[in-house]
Amino acid sequence: MKEYIKGANPYMPLWEHVPDGEPRVFEYKGEKRVYVYGSHDIEKTEYCGRNQVVWSAPVKDLTNWKCHGVCYEASDKSILFAPDVVQKGDTFYMYAAEDHGSRVMVASSKNPAGPFTNPVKTDLGFDPGVLVDDDGRVYAYWGFCKQYCAELNDDMATIKEGTFHENIIKHCNAEWAMDDGMYDEEDAFFEASSPRKVNGKYVCIYSKRYYRACPEYGVPEGGCNGFLSYKYSDSPLGGYKMGGDISFNGGELLPNPDGSKTMTYRWGNNHGSIIQIEGQWYVFYHRQTGTNEFSRQAMLEPVDVAQDKEGKIFIGKITYKDGQPISSQPVEMTSQGAHVNGLDARKIISAGYACHIFGGEKGGANGGQGGAYIKAVYQESDEVSAPIVDISSGLTVGFRYLQFGSLSPKSLTGKIDAKEKLKINIRVDDYKGKIIASCNVKKGENTFTAPVTSGLIGKRAIYFEFLSESKGIICNFDTFTFD
């Protein structure tokens, strides 16, 4: 019996929807694990939920995630927005954003998995991010369309007198922002403050909202906040310099002849941070599923981190010249996540791990407005799959990357809900790449098999192309595996 892939991208089970995750490495009872505390998209008709759950994985295996259950519920049963958790001494502190983020409480536990109890109201606001510095001093950052920061007193809740600052990163000019003249089109702070320490520098990670077209990222017009970006400083509460963009959740970016790129996945809001695990840096972020932003999922990618001779910090996909970093750009959004050698092609792979959904009758990412999408699932099962639904002719679905090893497969099989007669081409390396398998599917069929006609070894990207003479929806796509 074949196993289902686990710990891919998204790295939690496909039934779980945890966005806004702030990753932390904590040691507890002699074991180091990566803990993720995030909002919990369980309301389904609005952001987040009324409890917070915690997941963790051993530092040596980021594909093996465990749910520790509910670690905090709001004192008044209200909706909880993005939290953060830090350790000081032998105590873990959760900053829980109750009542849609309007009231931030700090609760504590001796266990990083909680439960977090004895909540106390803090002086902080929306999307709190906290840094416990090397000398034990504690700094907090927060805000929506305007950023604030301060040092905290020893109570971990109140602001130390004389340390409150505004706009260390100037904000975007969204309709929700204050008209205070502190706009910056390039930095454009939106939300999701996350302070980290990198090579002795203070790095502030945040959700950026671009108000210009970004053809280099496939964004044809402004108003896009699918980015995680950063600035850095020698001081925690000021002097921040331009950094760059680390992550963008718009899927695989297709290059165009004019140097611009095209998105292949529907972007949405973003929130997360970076962390070093066993010597490797990662960015944790989230993507959207369903047809709205209420079923987001946790994602991760390895990233490079470097510092040049002048002390500038580079994070993301870095370009070097003569051994020195000279520029960086967002790392690609993948299907593999922590499976850095690619997903095992012989296991059952859900369509829900696609990082490329493109084209179709309407064209564009996810087949355009009202096009195909990954259906959100909530059945708590190791064998649940999140299908891609509402596929129209011409749509391509891509997975970056699969691992085939040294022996080429003979065929692939899959599950499908064929609503019309169609043809499926399987391409390699590129969505217009070489066809290595093909099959015809009759209306009403729910499985397909295609012989592999070309050698396929090592780590490769795979794309499914769906074609039909019929207009409108032709099928839904569930799972596949190579044999």
Side-chain angles (χ1 to χ4, degrees):
M1 178 70 85
K2 287 199 171 191
E3 295 181 350
Y4 280 71
I5 281 285
K6 298 180 181 66
N9 243 0
Y11 56 87
M12 294 178 188
L14 289 165
W15 52 261
E16 181 62 288
H17 301 87
V18 173
D20 306 331
E22 294 276 351
R24 299 287 183 181
V25 173
F26 293 132
E27 183 172 348
Y28 181 67
K29 292 186 175 180
E31 182 185 18
K32 284 187 178 181
R33 298 180 68 89
V34 184
Y35 291 83
V36 171
Y37 312 82
S39 309
H40 200 196
D41 277 352
I42 52 177
E43 288 296 300
K44 300 181 183 179
T45 58
E46 61 175 303
Y47 292 115
C48 308
R50 299 175 194 276
N51 65 41
Q52 313 231 269
V53 292
V54 54
W55 288 76
S56 76
V59 292
K60 294 185 182 298
D61 185 3
L62 299 185
T63 71
N64 183 19
W65 289 84
K66 171 185 177 181
C67 182
H68 298 273
V70 174
C71 63
Y72 186 82
E73 292 182 308
S75 56
D76 59 354
K77 306 300 181 184
S78 61
I79 297 290
L80 289 151
F81 276 10
D84 195 11
V85 174
V86 294
Q87 180 181 8
K88 187 175 183 184
D90 64 351
T91 304
F92 301 90
Y93 297 90
M94 168 171 270
Y95 290 83
E98 298 185 352
D99 192 16
H100 300 85
S102 64
R103 178 178 63 251
V104 175
M105 312 293 287
V106 61
S108 60
S109 175
K110 297 298 184 181
N111 184 336
F116 293 89
T117 58
N118 302 316
V120 174
K121 190 174 185 301
T122 74
D123 292 339
L124 312 184
F126 191 89
D127 275 4
V130 180
L131 173 70
V132 179
D133 209 348
D134 303 329
D135 59 4
R137 296 170 73 175
V138 181
Y139 303 95
Y141 305 72
W142 67 94
F144 175 69
C145 292
K146 183 177 176 69
Q147 193 184 50
Y148 307 89
C149 63
E151 185 176 349
L152 298 185
N153 289 307
D154 290 340
D155 61 9
M156 302 292 283
T158 58
I159 292 174
K160 184 174 289 188
E161 186 176 357
T163 67
F164 177 77
H165 291 73
E166 298 180 333
N167 304 309
I168 61 167
I169 300 176
K170 294 181 181 180
H171 56 77
C172 63
N173 61 353
E175 58 186 289
W176 317 281
M178 290 185 182
D179 186 12
D180 59 0
M182 292 295 171
Y183 302 137
D184 191 316
E185 295 295 331
E186 290 303 313
D187 288 337
F189 173 83
F190 186 66
E191 59 185 352
S193 296
S194 178
R196 299 287 162 137
K197 198 82 174 281
V198 178
N199 294 345
K201 301 283 187 178
Y202 296 90
V203 175
C204 188
I205 293 150
Y206 60 100
S207 169
K208 177 184 288 186
R209 187 173 179 90
Y210 274 108
Y211 275 85
R212 60 170 174 82
C214 301
E216 68 274 26
Y217 297 141
V219 181
E221 55 189 21
C224 178
N225 55 295
F227 298 89
L228 280 186
S229 307
Y230 74 99
K231 296 189 77 172
Y232 67 96
S233 176
D234 293 319
S235 171
L237 300 179
Y240 281 82
K241 301 175 183 178
M242 178 72 78
D245 302 321
I246 307 169
S247 164
F248 176 51
N249 58 18
E252 180 189 4
L253 299 178
L254 305 177
N256 298 316
D258 64 358
S260 66
K261 295 182 180 179
T262 299
M263 281 187 294
T264 62
Y265 195 94
R266 176 176 59 87
W267 69 266
N269 70 354
N270 208 344
H271 190 141
S273 197
I274 61 169
I275 192 166
Q276 189 177 38
I277 305 168
E278 295 288 282
Q280 172 64 56
W281 285 92
Y282 295 86
V283 60
F284 285 64
Y285 65 106
H286 69 237
R287 71 168 189 184
Q288 276 61 31
T289 56
T291 57
N292 51 43
E293 293 191 343
F294 309 143
S295 52
R296 297 161 293 176
Q297 293 180 309
M299 306 277 282
L300 68 84
E301 313 287 355
V303 297
D304 294 329
V305 173
Q307 187 172 353
D308 69 11
K309 294 177 180 178
E310 283 70 46
K312 180 175 181 178
I313 297 291
F314 295 83
I315 306 173
K317 182 180 179 182
I318 299 175
T319 298
Y320 294 84
K321 183 178 180 181
D322 299 327
Q324 283 290 306
I326 58 171
S327 66
S328 65
Q329 61 187 65
V331 291
E332 68 174 329
M333 176 173 154
T334 71
S335 306
Q336 66 184 25
H339 289 268
V340 294
N341 292 318
L343 304 179
D344 187 342
R346 269 76 175 186
K347 291 186 177 181
I348 299 172
I349 301 173
S350 172
Y353 292 122
C355 61
H356 166 123
I357 305 173
F358 179 70
E361 286 293 319
K362 300 177 182 180
N366 288 39
Q369 185 68 33
Y373 61 96
I374 295 173
K375 183 178 180 180
V377 294
Y378 296 91
Q379 178 187 347
E380 296 186 17
S381 167
D382 288 341
E383 297 185 353
V384 70
S385 172
I388 295 175
V389 300
D390 292 0
I391 293 172
S392 60
S393 182
L395 193 84
T396 52
V397 173
F399 302 83
R400 299 170 69 87
Y401 298 87
L402 273 59
Q403 177 58 248
F404 293 92
S406 59
L407 184 63
S408 181
K410 295 181 179 179
S411 65
L412 72 88
T413 56
K415 290 185 178 180
I416 194 171
D417 175 15
K419 300 182 180 299
E420 302 289 348
K421 178 182 176 182
L422 70 143
K423 182 177 183 178
I424 304 175
N425 291 325
I426 295 86
R427 298 179 181 269
V428 66
D429 298 333
D430 187 272
Y431 80 113
K432 293 181 179 179
K434 180 180 179 180
I435 296 174
I436 52 91
S438 185
C439 66
N440 294 310
V441 181
K442 297 178 182 177
K443 181 178 180 179
E445 289 188 332
N446 54 26
T447 62
F448 65 90
T449 300
V452 175
T453 57
S454 182
L456 201 57
I457 62 173
K459 183 177 175 179
R460 311 292 287 272
I462 293 294
Y463 298 81
F464 292 78
E465 180 183 35
F466 299 90
L467 301 172
S468 177
E469 295 181 358
S470 298
K471 304 295 182 182
I473 298 170
I474 61 173
C475 69
N476 300 327
F477 179 29
D478 194 9
T479 64
F480 69 96
T481 183
F482 284 82
D483 302 305

